[in-house]
Amino acid sequence: MTFKHALMAATLAALVGNAFAAEDRMPPIPADKLSDAQKKSIELLSEGAPAGGAPRNVGAGPWVPLLRSPELLNRLQRMGSYLRYESAFDPRLSEFVILLTARDWSNQYEWLAHQKLALKAGVTPAVTQAIAEGRRPTGMTADEEMVYDFIDELLRNRSVSDPTYARIKDRFGERGVIDLIAINGYYSMLAAVLNVAQSPLPGGAPQQIPTLPR
């Protein structure tokens, strides 16, 4: 099957799937059912992110199912704040990695939340479109190419080759290698939570990217 045919089949499957939307397994917990620990987690989330980050939408996305484990949520949100705002990578490359991760998981929420952020940070529309379609983008910057190769190998091979490792290490240092792995790992975990919980997109938003065959 060619890529074109595979993409057409995936798109058709996605459209059919939309007609029979999966039930939200972990919907928002009613306010009168929240434990003290859960209320504290919501309070911490609502305080917003560091370094000028926007307040989180605590009523949507991974925070809703994660609230079932409030202490885990508390620790994850601190990790997420570091990876988005204080890692070895600027926002353009961080958002680029998040899009690659969302695409690998076919996660609609992550794509909806981060595609516009990636564009705002400087990732070109052509590059985001190629990622959405499941193909290697053309016209990437040198930094984007080396990051793409690293994440692509990591996802396909569960490791990276010596040349791919060396390019990231030489450009971003050993801290960059670890932070790059962590960004992918963190957003993979959130995508897994969202996919298992079958969390819906906020506001009745339509499907963002086709579910590609695996």
Side-chain angles (χ1 to χ4, degrees):
M1 180 182 290
T2 66
F3 172 80
K4 180 178 179 182
H5 290 144
L7 182 59
M8 289 175 63
T11 303
L12 178 60
L15 291 173
V16 173
N18 281 347
F20 302 96
E23 181 180 358
D24 185 357
R25 289 171 170 165
M26 295 187 179
I29 301 171
D32 62 347
K33 302 295 184 182
L34 293 169
S35 68
D36 289 341
Q38 289 169 332
K39 291 176 183 177
K40 182 61 177 178
S41 290
I42 292 173
E43 180 182 333
L44 291 172
L45 282 171
S46 300
E47 290 174 356
R56 298 177 178 88
N57 181 1
V58 300
W63 315 119
V64 174
L66 281 169
L67 195 58
R68 274 69 182 181
S69 183
E71 186 55 37
L72 174 63
L73 189 158
N74 295 343
R75 299 184 187 207
L76 283 174
Q77 67 94 5
R78 292 194 293 271
M79 179 180 180
S81 292
Y82 167 77
L83 292 173
R84 279 196 66 190
Y85 303 109
E86 303 175 65
S87 80
F89 296 90
D90 63 26
R92 174 177 57 87
L93 291 177
S94 292
E95 295 297 335
F96 180 71
V97 176
I98 295 168
L99 290 189
L100 293 175
T101 307
R103 173 64 283 174
D104 181 65
W105 284 85
S106 290
N107 188 263
Q108 306 299 319
Y109 183 89
E110 284 186 345
W111 190 271
L112 175 66
H114 290 277
Q115 190 256 356
K116 290 181 180 178
L117 292 173
L119 292 173
K120 183 178 179 180
V123 182
T124 68
V127 167
T128 65
Q129 183 62 32
I131 295 172
E133 294 172 1
R135 55 185 175 83
R136 182 187 180 91
T138 58
M140 290 184 287
T141 67
D143 284 352
E144 288 170 351
E145 282 195 351
M146 67 176 68
V147 166
Y148 182 96
D149 289 341
F150 189 100
I151 296 299
D152 180 57
E153 288 186 23
L154 182 61
L155 293 173
R156 287 188 296 106
N157 303 330
R158 301 299 185 255
S159 186
V160 298
S161 64
D162 287 342
T164 298
Y165 173 85
R167 283 194 294 272
I168 293 295
K169 179 185 174 184
D170 291 346
R171 176 68 178 85
F172 300 101
E174 290 183 335
R175 176 194 171 202
V177 173
I178 296 301
D179 284 2
L180 185 55
I181 297 167
I183 293 170
N184 172 250
Y186 174 77
Y187 283 94
S188 291
M189 194 215 66
L190 295 188
V193 169
L194 288 161
N195 285 359
V196 170
Q198 299 180 168
S199 302
L201 291 175
Q207 180 161 325
Q208 303 296 300
I209 50 177
T211 301
L212 298 179
R214 301 190 67 85

